[in-house]
Amino acid sequence: ITITLALLLFIMIQAAILGDNRTTTAPVPATAKPDQQPAPTVYSMNQDVPSGDVVWKVTKVRDRGNALRASESRYPSIAKIKTTSGKFIEVYITLENRGTDLASITTPNLIDSQNREYTDISFQVMEWLPEDKGIYLLQNLNPNLPKDFVVMFEVPADASGLVLKVGVFHPQLIRLDLQ
């Protein structure tokens, strides 16, 4: 009898979830166009860029070329040169959580003029970044304490028109001026 009750309960739950498979919404006419999103605002460097409670500010960008030399690392006596067929882009960021609760942040992505998107490689090149300045996945940011970060990207040699995409739930774009 317990198996019968369990089977009956299962069928009732399935019926409630799936319904009777009849569609109650009107079909969309072929001429209807999907809602178009407005073009996102593209901010400039050294400008406060809000994304939820977190404010991002890109303060400096450097094209590091196609080689990170051992002599430029934090450990010049043991580091080895790191090269790429593209180029390394180093981005300096100041973040501030202007809310009242702890905020989680993630690393930004870089997008070029061909709409190619790149993730950061900071973990792979941390010896060339200032100590304790890396942004890590879902890192916590305390309220009202600005913090400086540096992230590194590897992009193709022809990458240009770079913008940084910051924020997860409220993504924003920041135009980068290479130095």
Side-chain angles (χ1 to χ4, degrees):
I1 204 160
T2 346
I3 295 174
T4 306
L5 287 175
L7 184 58
L8 184 58
L9 183 61
F10 175 76
I11 291 171
M12 289 173 51
I13 292 172
Q14 289 296 325
I17 292 172
L18 299 176
D20 61 0
N21 290 331
R22 285 186 285 175
T23 304
T24 59
T25 58
V28 177
T31 58
K33 295 179 183 174
D35 293 342
Q36 292 184 356
Q37 296 291 329
T41 301
V42 179
Y43 294 86
S44 298
M45 288 180 49
N46 294 306
Q47 188 176 10
D48 285 349
V49 179
S51 178
D53 286 338
V54 177
V55 174
W56 297 71
K57 183 187 287 187
V58 173
T59 57
K60 180 179 173 183
V61 179
R62 276 188 1 171
D63 180 342
R64 298 281 304 259
N66 66 351
L68 298 174
R69 295 174 185 21
S71 61
E72 298 169 338
S73 90
R74 286 186 282 148
Y75 313 106
S77 61
I78 59 172
K80 300 209 180 327
I81 190 169
K82 180 144 181 98
T83 61
T84 179
S85 59
K87 56 188 173 184
F88 295 105
I89 305 294
E90 185 177 59
V91 182
Y92 292 73
I93 302 167
T94 299
L95 287 171
E96 183 178 358
N97 172 7
R98 294 193 179 161
T100 56
D101 296 322
L102 189 69
S104 292
I105 56 171
T106 61
T107 54
N109 287 347
L110 197 62
I111 303 170
D112 70 9
S113 60
Q114 297 180 46
N115 212 28
R116 299 177 292 189
E117 192 162 340
Y118 308 96
T119 58
D120 84 296
I121 61 162
S122 299
F123 189 72
Q124 300 161 14
V125 296
M126 70 175 89
E127 60 266 31
W128 282 275
L129 299 176
E131 197 165 356
D132 298 326
K133 297 293 183 197
I135 298 177
Y136 302 103
L137 182 63
L138 296 178
Q139 182 166 340
N140 291 326
L141 192 60
N142 289 314
N144 307 110
L145 294 170
K147 188 162 180 174
D148 295 326
F149 296 96
V150 180
V151 291
M152 183 88 71
F153 297 91
E154 182 180 9
V155 300
D158 69 343
S160 64
L162 300 174
V163 293
L164 196 67
K165 184 169 92 176
V166 301
V168 175
F169 300 111
H170 308 281
Q172 302 290 349
L173 301 176
I174 305 170
R175 180 176 292 106
L176 302 182
D177 301 320
L178 293 177
Q179 297 176 357

